[in-house]
């Protein structure tokens, strides 16, 4: 079956999204212990709000009608803020590749939330692909060690991030359910404003307690990347794709994350994961191929 232009654009958006998100695992692990996660994410959201707000004002504009039912933005922004905070909390102790493998469990959860929120029915091919991807993710998480899998020894960081991934999976169908015709930029701006408010209130104590003048320069460099890449750009890509693809297909691209993270780790001069881990990565790539076939 030939893909429509909208579907192709949705897939392209998610390809860019997956590469940008992968960088947040490798770079995020480098700064996770420098600043309290809630305080760091509050600054990140505030900076991203300014960037997206300028782009929205210069582009489609921000119509007054977009302010209808502001609870929509609070709900979506709050859910996604939870994901980011738990991600950085988890990265304090979890390795980037392992965390990215946990992230690949989100498609199967997104398929479930897609049914609950939008009544999207997942076909047999997608279910098989989700199962293959989940096996690949577990392979990476447990380093291909069956004995470790049987003991189900999961690190604290991976467990924390898993709950963040539940929030991320819910966020995907929520975008489509809550959008009332706003453009991707405008809706993203509303979500970021709301997320900034939620994080500002929840993390006020940590924000005030942080000595921002003493924060190392490389933290600000990483933060700049996170703002321009995984926050501002990927928010837009995710919103754009979620209006054109099913929730499970949107999240299919998360299966590429471990592969992207390995490339990021090599580029940053970090150690390669054990060879046996690559078998799990191969399964996640197979899952992507299955998921991107039309039903």
């Amino acid at each position: 079956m030939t893909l429509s232009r909208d579907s192709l654009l949705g897939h392209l958006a998610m390809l860019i999204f997956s590469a940008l998100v992968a960088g947040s695992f490798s770079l995020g692990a480098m700064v996770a212990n420098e600043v309290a996660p809630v305080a760091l994410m509050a600054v990140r959201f505030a900076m991203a709000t300014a960037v997206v707000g300028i782009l929205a004002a210069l582009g489609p504009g921000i119509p007054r009608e977009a302010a209808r039912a502001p609870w929509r933005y609070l709900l979506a922004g709050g859910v996604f803020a939870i994901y980011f905070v738990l991600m950085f909390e988890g990265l304090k102790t979890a390795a980037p590749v392992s965390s990215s493998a946990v992230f690949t469990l989100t498609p199967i959860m997104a398929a479930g939330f897609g049914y609950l929120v939008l009544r999207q029915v997942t076909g047999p091919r997608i279910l098989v692909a989700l199962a293959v991807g989940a096996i690949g993710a577990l392979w990476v998480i447990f380093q291909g060690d069956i004995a470790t899998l049987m003991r189900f020894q999961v690190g604290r960081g991976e467990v924390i991030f898993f709950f963040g991934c539940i929030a991320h999976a819910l966020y995907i169908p929520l975008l489509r359910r809550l959008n009332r015709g706003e453009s991707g930029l405008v809706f993203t701006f509303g979500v970021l404003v709301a997320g900034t408010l939620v994080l500002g209130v929840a993390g006020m104590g940590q924000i005030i307690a942080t000595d921002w003048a003493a924060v190392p320069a490389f933290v600000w460099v990483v933060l700049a990347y996170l703002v321009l890449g995984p926050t501002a750009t990927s928010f837009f890509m995710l919103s754009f794709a979620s209006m054109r693809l099913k929730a499970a297909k949107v999240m299919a691209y998360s299966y590429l994350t471990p592969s992207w993270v390995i490339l990021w780790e090599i580029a940053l001069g970090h150690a390669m994961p054990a060879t046996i881990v690559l078998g799990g990565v191969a399964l996640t790539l197979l899952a992507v191929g299955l998921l991107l076939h039309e039903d």
Side-chain angles (χ1 to χ4, degrees):
M1 184 182 294
T2 303
L3 291 173
S4 68
R5 180 174 178 274
D6 273 357
S7 292
L8 284 172
L9 289 174
H11 288 303
L12 177 60
M14 289 310 300
L15 184 63
I16 297 171
F17 167 84
S18 63
L20 292 173
V21 166
S24 66
F25 285 95
S26 294
L27 295 173
M30 297 169 63
V31 302
N33 290 294
E34 299 292 335
V35 181
V38 176
L40 186 66
M41 291 304 100
V43 174
R44 176 183 180 179
F45 268 60
M47 293 170 66
T49 298
V51 172
V52 174
I54 292 171
L55 292 175
L58 295 176
I62 305 175
R64 184 174 299 176
E65 293 76 18
R68 291 175 301 175
W71 61 268
R72 297 178 296 145
Y73 303 113
L74 282 172
L75 178 57
V79 168
F80 217 33
I82 290 171
Y83 161 72
F84 277 120
V85 170
L86 293 182
M87 173 187 180
F88 274 75
E89 188 65 40
L91 282 171
K92 286 183 176 181
T93 55
V97 175
S98 181
S99 295
S100 68
V102 175
F103 184 66
T104 62
L105 296 175
T106 54
I108 196 164
M109 294 187 287
F113 284 125
Y115 176 76
L116 293 174
V117 177
L118 299 171
R119 287 295 182 266
Q120 290 178 342
V121 178
T122 302
R125 179 189 294 273
I126 292 180
L127 287 174
V128 171
L130 293 175
V132 171
I135 292 171
L138 291 173
W139 186 326
V140 175
I141 293 168
F142 292 102
Q143 305 288 301
D145 187 343
I146 299 298
T148 304
L149 172 62
M150 295 305 293
R151 291 194 299 271
F152 205 74
Q153 293 180 344
V154 185
R156 179 175 179 273
E158 285 86 352
V159 172
I160 291 172
F161 185 49
F162 173 73
F163 286 102
C165 288
I166 293 175
H168 194 293
L170 173 61
Y171 177 74
I172 304 306
L174 274 182
L175 280 176
R176 194 163 184 167
R177 180 64 182 269
L178 299 176
N179 189 287
R180 296 186 179 179
E182 295 87 1
S183 69
L185 269 177
V186 171
F187 195 81
T188 298
F189 175 66
V191 170
L192 286 170
V193 169
T196 301
L197 291 173
V198 170
L199 288 168
V201 172
M204 184 62 68
Q206 291 184 6
I207 294 171
I208 294 173
T210 300
D211 183 0
W212 295 102
V215 172
F218 82 91
V219 173
W220 293 107
V221 173
V222 171
L223 191 59
Y225 168 80
L226 294 176
V227 168
L228 297 176
T231 306
T233 304
S234 69
F235 258 78
F236 170 71
M237 295 295 176
L238 199 56
S239 179
F240 181 88
S242 68
M243 301 302 294
R244 291 162 175 79
L245 303 172
K246 287 183 178 180
K249 284 184 178 270
V250 168
M251 293 314 299
Y253 281 89
S254 66
Y255 286 133
L256 291 178
T257 307
S259 301
W260 282 119
V261 169
I262 288 173
L263 294 177
W264 272 94
E265 289 292 290
I266 294 172
L268 291 169
H270 299 160
M272 274 279 292
T275 304
I276 193 170
V277 171
L278 299 180
V281 173
L283 283 178
T284 61
L285 293 176
L286 174 59
V288 174
L290 291 170
L291 281 163
L292 296 187
H293 275 75
E294 290 299 286
D295 295 339

